[in-house]
Amino acid sequence: MSISSELHAIGRPLLEAQLAHPTVAGIGRGDLEEKVFRSWLEQDWLFLHDYVRVFARLAWQAPAAHLGDLVDLAHTTFHDELSLHRSLSAEFGADLDGAVKGPACQAYTTFLLESAATYAEGLAALYPCMWGYSTLGRILAENRPAEPRYRAWVDTYADPGFAALTGRIAEMIDEAAPDLSRAKERFAEGMRHELAFWDVP
């Protein structure tokens, strides 16, 4: 079994917990309270800026074959995901410029930026966000919400292009061959941060 497959196996229970979380379930139904999504949107806006920094830090350490992959991921995050947040912010009345990190966001971004000091472990640490959102998007897209704003959110993460980027990270983890116990530790901690992030402030 590949390292990425082993990570999927240990991450599945925490992914199921995310699917059952009221915030995710509300997005999937299209009836999540606007104030909850607005708060999530503001926190994720701040998170994604640091996520781009994580990709940049890993790109500096990457083998030549994967420098472009990490640049592509940083570009997609900065332009595509943040563009979605900007468009949704107007519809939900989010204050992106005035947003302040809550405890979950601060803990998660600190963990990621520290993990990115080591290339292979940094990949394992950031993978829960890519893998989690890609999988959540695919599952929620099986019964898309009728509410157009939440449907746009689901469609973004269900996009095959996003799944392809996630697959590239999995390949990079396998090629980097991190210590399996350390990779599992970093991945599991990232998955716990992912779950905690849905408890918006």
Side-chain angles (χ1 to χ4, degrees), residues 2 7 18 30 41 43 50 73 80 86 105 111 124 128 171 180 184-185 189:
S2 66
L7 299 183
Q18 289 187 60
L41 195 64
Q43 292 301 299
D50 277 344
L73 286 159
D80 295 350
R86 279 190 292 269
C105 184
F111 161 73
E171 293 171 3
L180 183 56
K184 286 182 174 180
E185 178 186 303
E189 185 168 349

Side-chain angles (χ1 to χ4, degrees), residues 61-169:
Q61 305 172 63
H66 292 303
L67 176 59
D69 292 311
L70 289 159
V71 170
D72 286 349
L73 286 159
H75 183 277
T76 297
T77 302
F78 190 81
H79 291 284
D80 295 350
E81 285 194 77
L82 289 178
S83 290
L84 172 70
H85 287 51
R86 279 190 292 269
S87 66
L88 289 174
S89 69
E91 299 183 44
F92 283 92
D95 180 13
L96 299 182
D97 292 333
V100 177
K101 286 182 182 178
C105 184
Q106 184 64 59
Y108 196 3
T109 55
T110 297
F111 161 73
L112 286 173
L113 288 163
E114 290 176 351
S115 297
T118 304
Y119 177 70
E121 291 185 14
L123 291 174
L126 70 81
Y127 190 49
C129 184
M130 297 286 298
W131 178 71
Y133 274 69
S134 178
T135 308
L136 290 175
R138 176 178 53 79
I139 292 171
L140 294 178
E142 294 172 1
N143 186 22
R144 283 179 170 82
E147 208 284 339
R149 297 170 300 176
Y150 292 130
R151 188 171 64 246
W153 187 95
V154 170
D155 287 345
T156 294
Y157 295 108
D159 186 272
F162 189 75
L165 290 173
T166 301
R168 284 158 76 179
I169 289 289

